């Protein structure tokens, strides 16, 4: 997400590629992690520090939490992202249509006060992952169903240096699980693998006054490496030239499948300001280093499907507001924009639907008692489509839509 929420480049040697990112597309980092960020479209994530989910948003924000605080949530991602084969594509048959399956997620955060200055905590979350469903399309011998799940366990520490400055750091151990299904001459085939990766998160928080604070968070890249080596038998209807005669071809491959899953390093700057006892405003400015992966190349039958000199760094901006009419209720709203990681939307990848994206979020929180609250949020994401220039599998992704629905709970001890 930026989701998927993110970037997975899954290369089937010279056969095919699959990329599943945090919010479906590279350049769309998954800010949605089953907490209040959904209702705010991520706005203020590195500066709000209102519950234990700050362990992910900005570890330094734990210095604003007293005692023990636990925040947990559940989330579901749904979407409508359709791919249509071009009339000129050499492969003949149905297009996959919508490739997004509903995808669940969960998170759990715990912050503990050692004293007024020192805080320790633990975050368990999945901020990248996706389920793709291509079904019985013309290329089902390459990919039919795929899923990538990333789960991170992040011990975290924060320290308040003085009344203005706080620092924090977290070290995450991430488990990635990948599975792929496709049709072969031997029937449906499934391959899967898992791998561990390590990432780091650093944060700084500055309190200008009791109602105004600024946060800066750095997250290092996360990289999985999957290795599975099945024999691939790919049968498909082939059209040597556009509008020419077609025939069925069966090709047997005994090539390893390798996958590299990358989420880039990123910076996020956020601000939070209380206008009155009822109103607060917040915002983000972020950067992601997608150009670091610009030279990865995967081809199918000689036609490039992914990588090459097509990727660029992305930028993120968000604005949000909170309205608290009384001691029980709070209402959230936010809007965010992410640039595309493609230099040109006419030079995209079959397995990396991506484009500039708008996020629109609304949410609410209800105080059950002085120590407990529940909340819910909804976010709609509109993503620019992209074209794929491939003689074999060329086509286009329409404008895509992702929907996030979350519910969360916070308890203070």
């Amino acid at each position: 997400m930026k989701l998927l929420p993110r970037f997975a480049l899954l290369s089937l040697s010279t056969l095919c590629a699959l990329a599943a990112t945090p919010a479906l597309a590279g350049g769309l980092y998954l800010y949605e992690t089953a907490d209040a960020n959904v209702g705010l479209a991520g706005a203020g994530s590195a500066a709000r520090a209102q519950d234990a989910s700050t362990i992910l948003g900005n570890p330094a924000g734990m210095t604003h939490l007293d005692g023990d605080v636990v925040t947990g949530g559940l989330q579901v991602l749904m979407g409508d992202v359709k791919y249509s084969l071009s009339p000129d594509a050499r492969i003949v048959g149905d297009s996959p249509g919508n490739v997004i399956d509903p995808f669940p997620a969960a998170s759990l955060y715990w912050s503990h006060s050692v004293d007024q200055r020192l805080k320790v905590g633990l975050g368990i979350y999945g901020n990248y992952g996706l389920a793709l469903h291509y079904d019985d399309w013309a290329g089902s011998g390459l990919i039919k169903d795929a899923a990538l799940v990333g789960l991170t366990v992040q011990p975290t520490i924060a320290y308040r240096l003085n009344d203005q400055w706080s620092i924090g750091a977290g070290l995450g151990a991430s488990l990635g699980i990948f599975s792929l299904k496709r049709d072969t001459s031997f029937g449906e085939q499934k391959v899967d693998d898992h791998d561990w990766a390590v990432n780091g998160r650093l944060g700084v928080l500055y309190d200008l006054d009791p109602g105004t604070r600024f946060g800066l968070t750095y997250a290092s890249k996360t990289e999985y490496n999957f290795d599975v080596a099945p024999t691939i038998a790919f049968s498909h209807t082939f059209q040597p030239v556009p509008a020419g005669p077609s025939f069925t071809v069966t090709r047997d491959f005994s090539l390893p499948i390798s996958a590299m899953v990358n989420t880039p390093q990123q910076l996020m700057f956020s601000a939070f300001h209380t206008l009155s006892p009822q109103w607060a405003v917040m915002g983000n400015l972020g950067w992601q280093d997608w150009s670091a992966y610009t030279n990865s190349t995967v081809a199918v039958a000689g036609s490039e499907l992914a990588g090459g000199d097509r990727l660029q760094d992305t930028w993120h901006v968000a604005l949000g507001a909170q309205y608290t009419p009384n001691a029980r209720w709070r209402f959230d709203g936010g809007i965010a924009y992410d640039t595309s990681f493609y230099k040109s939307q006419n030079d995209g990848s079959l397995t990396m639907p991506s484009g500039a994206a708008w996020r629109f979020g609304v949410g609410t929180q209800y105080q059950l008692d002085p120590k407990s609250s529940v909340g819910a949020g909804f976010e709609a994401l509109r993503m620019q489509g992209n074209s794929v220039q491939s003689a074999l599998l060329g086509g286009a992704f329409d404008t895509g839509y992702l929907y996030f629905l979350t519910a969360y709970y916070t308890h203070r001890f």
Side-chain angles (χ1 to χ4, degrees), residues 359-376:
R359 286 174 162 89
F360 304 91
V362 292
T364 186
Q365 181 174 294
Y366 180 74
Q367 197 72 33
L368 297 170
D369 56 51
K371 293 186 176 181
S372 301
S373 63
V374 293

Side-chain angles (χ1 to χ4, degrees), residues 210-382:
T212 306
R213 50 188 176 268
F214 303 94
L216 179 65
T217 302
Y218 168 79
S220 68
K221 67 178 181 180
T222 303
E223 216 171 66
Y224 299 121
N225 288 279
F226 300 118
D227 286 296
V228 290
T231 297
I232 302 167
F234 174 39
S235 297
H236 63 93
T237 302
F238 182 69
Q239 194 171 39
V241 296
S246 60
F247 52 90
T248 300
V249 176
T250 300
R251 302 175 181 179
D252 293 319
F253 295 86
S254 295
L255 299 175
I257 295 175
S258 64
M260 288 174 52
V261 181
N262 302 308
T263 59
Q265 62 178 339
Q266 67 166 338
L267 284 171
M268 181 69 78
F269 172 77
S270 298
F272 178 91
H273 178 63
T274 300
L275 296 173
S276 70
Q278 287 77 39
W279 286 97
V281 293
M282 61 216 70
N284 289 346
L285 179 63
W287 165 83
Q288 297 167 4
D289 187 22
W290 288 105
S291 63
Y293 306 115
T294 195
N295 292 321
S296 300
T297 301
V298 179
V300 175
S303 298
E304 185 182 326
L305 287 185
D309 187 22
R310 65 178 62 179
L311 304 185
Q312 62 184 352
D313 292 348
T314 62
W315 292 91
H316 161 85
V317 63
L319 293 173
Q322 292 180 329
Y323 174 59
T324 308
N326 54 54
R328 290 283 189 179
W329 287 97
R330 190 188 78 197
F331 299 94
D332 301 337
I335 182 172
Y337 178 76
D338 287 80
T339 62
S340 174
F341 80 162
Y342 283 130
K343 293 180 180 179
S344 170
Q345 293 305 115
N346 293 320
D347 186 26
S349 164
L350 169 67
T351 55
M352 296 190 293
S354 183
W358 285 96
R359 286 174 162 89
F360 304 91
V362 292
T364 186
Q365 181 174 294
Y366 180 74
Q367 197 72 33
L368 297 170
D369 56 51
K371 293 186 176 181
S372 301
S373 63
V374 293
F378 172 78
E379 182 188 277
L381 184 155
R382 182 185 185 276

Side-chain angles (χ1 to χ4, degrees), residues 44-49 54-64 156-170 201-208 212-219 266-272:
S45 60
R48 284 191 304 107
T54 189
I55 287 173
L56 177 62
N58 184 346
M62 287 197 301
T63 61
H64 279 252
T156 308
I157 187 170
Y159 187 75
R160 181 180 282 273
L161 300 173
N162 52 45
D163 290 343
Q164 284 76 45
W165 291 97
S166 299
I167 57 175
R201 192 171 292 270
L202 303 174
V204 177
L205 192 67
Y206 175 73
D207 288 83
L208 179 64
T212 306
R213 50 188 176 268
F214 303 94
L216 179 65
T217 302
Y218 168 79
Q266 67 166 338
L267 284 171
M268 181 69 78
F269 172 77
S270 298
F272 178 91

Side-chain angles (χ1 to χ4, degrees), residues 17 82-90 134 137 298 300 303-307 310 342 344-354 385-398:
K82 295 184 176 68
Y83 185 74
S84 301
L85 287 167
S86 167
D88 296 331
R90 300 294 177 85
Y134 284 74
W137 71 299
V298 179
V300 175
S303 298
E304 185 182 326
L305 287 185
R310 65 178 62 179
Y342 283 130
S344 170
Q345 293 305 115
N346 293 320
D347 186 26
S349 164
L350 169 67
T351 55
M352 296 190 293
S354 183
N386 66 271
S387 299
V388 177
Q389 305 300 321
S390 166
L392 183 64
L393 294 168
F397 283 100
D398 296 338

Side-chain angles (χ1 to χ4, degrees), residues 75-98:
Q75 177 178 286
V76 62
L77 179 160
M78 298 167 286
D80 184 12
V81 181
K82 295 184 176 68
Y83 185 74
S84 301
L85 287 167
S86 167
D88 296 331
R90 300 294 177 85
I91 195 170
V92 178
D94 294 332
S95 297
N98 181 26

